[in-house]
Amino acid sequence: MYVTLSNDTAPATLTMATNLMRQPAAPNAQQRNHATGTHLFHEGDTANHVYEVKTGVLRLTRVLENGRRQVIAFGLPGDIIGFPNGDAHHTDCDVVATAEIIAHRRSTLETGAGDPETHQRLLHAALREITAMQDHFMMLARKSASEKVASFLLAISSRTGSPLGNYTTFSLPMSRADIADFLGLTVETVSRTFSILRKEGIISLETPQTVLVLDMEALLDASQTDD
């Protein structure tokens, strides 16, 4: 689940997202469309559903005791979000890019009334979430600012990128502030790293929200630590 800065699970997640887009909602599930800026849930809300992302991008956030916002994760196509802490959601969740969602009732899943395929996807999603969070903590602790930004771009490219000739292009609907709050950086540092990657000919920005990867190998090198 979520954006992981390890590329090991990206192909499997991408395949699952493609299959999910082709499938109708399972029995006892509801398909919903959510516009940019709307909320699926708030921290503390009773968690009656878990959600599969078919299209779009979701943002999960928490406000820390000092008032600062932390972006916990981004939900991309193929992800399942809304795993609760007990009976309540432990983050806010809003829509960054217009999203199509499948809502599964927890009561149906917990009683075993749901279909086996859905249960299997949820299990795999829970395992991916654990891996993604572990990767994220390691990245925050060990990578430099530039490596964090490069890793983030590489992860989004792996999940949502499309070939364009010899290059790869992808949408980046989240703001620079969102990326900074996810990576534990300042907005200025994120923007400066984008500028460096552009000057080095690694990426090009068609628009502030559209990235063209000109040199994937160089982006991979930029994402890796020296130790």
Side-chain angles (χ1 to χ4, degrees):
M1 173 180 175
Y2 308 153
V3 174
T4 171
L5 298 185
S6 166
N7 295 313
D8 295 341
T9 58
T13 306
L14 185 58
T15 299
M16 186 182 73
T18 302
N19 291 338
L20 179 61
M21 292 175 64
R22 295 171 178 168
Q23 295 173 356
N28 303 313
Q30 296 178 334
Q31 189 160 304
R32 305 174 179 177
N33 294 315
H34 292 269
T36 300
T38 59
H39 276 80
L40 266 70
F41 51 81
H42 294 274
E43 183 178 358
D45 286 352
T46 300
N48 294 318
H49 298 83
V50 294
Y51 305 90
E52 286 187 272
V53 185
K54 291 189 71 174
T55 62
V57 179
L58 306 181
R59 174 177 54 202
L60 289 92
T61 60
R62 294 188 71 180
V63 177
L64 306 179
E65 292 183 359
N66 60 9
R68 292 186 59 185
R69 183 189 72 159
Q70 176 68 48
V71 175
I72 304 299
F74 296 103
L76 304 178
D79 287 338
I80 300 177
I81 67 167
F83 292 109
N85 179 14
D87 291 326
H89 290 296
H90 57 93
T91 67
D92 292 342
C93 177
D94 65 325
V95 180
V96 175
T98 301
E100 190 176 355
I101 306 296
I102 299 176
H104 298 275
R105 278 198 168 276
R106 279 185 61 207
S107 57
T108 300
L109 298 170
E110 290 173 354
T111 59
D115 66 286
E117 183 182 349
T118 300
H119 280 274
Q120 191 75 1
R121 287 204 304 272
L122 287 170
L123 174 61
H124 289 164
L127 295 174
R128 282 198 311 276
E129 178 181 2
I130 294 171
T131 300
M133 289 302 179
Q134 290 173 340
D135 289 341
H136 191 59
F137 292 146
M138 287 291 291
M139 179 274 302
L140 290 176
R142 301 191 63 179
K143 291 198 172 189
S144 68
S146 60
E147 288 165 347
K148 291 177 184 179
V149 174
S151 295
F152 180 79
L153 294 176
L154 192 66
I156 299 295
S157 175
S158 297
R159 289 288 305 274
T160 67
S162 300
L164 184 64
N166 295 324
Y167 308 133
T168 300
T169 184
F170 61 92
S171 175
L172 200 66
M174 60 286 292
S175 68
R176 302 296 188 266
D178 289 335
I179 298 171
D181 287 348
F182 179 64
L183 298 177
L185 303 172
T186 65
V187 177
E188 292 76 15
T189 298
V190 171
S191 297
R192 182 168 62 250
T193 305
F194 269 75
S195 296
I196 292 171
L197 293 172
R198 290 177 63 189
K199 290 177 181 177
E200 292 180 349
I202 297 174
I203 66 169
S204 172
L205 298 178
E206 304 296 286
T207 72
Q209 281 73 44
T210 305
V211 178
L212 184 66
V213 181
L214 303 174
D215 190 335
M216 188 65 72
E217 196 67 34
L219 184 61
L220 178 61
D221 289 342
S223 73
Q224 295 175 340
T225 55
D226 294 329
D227 54 358

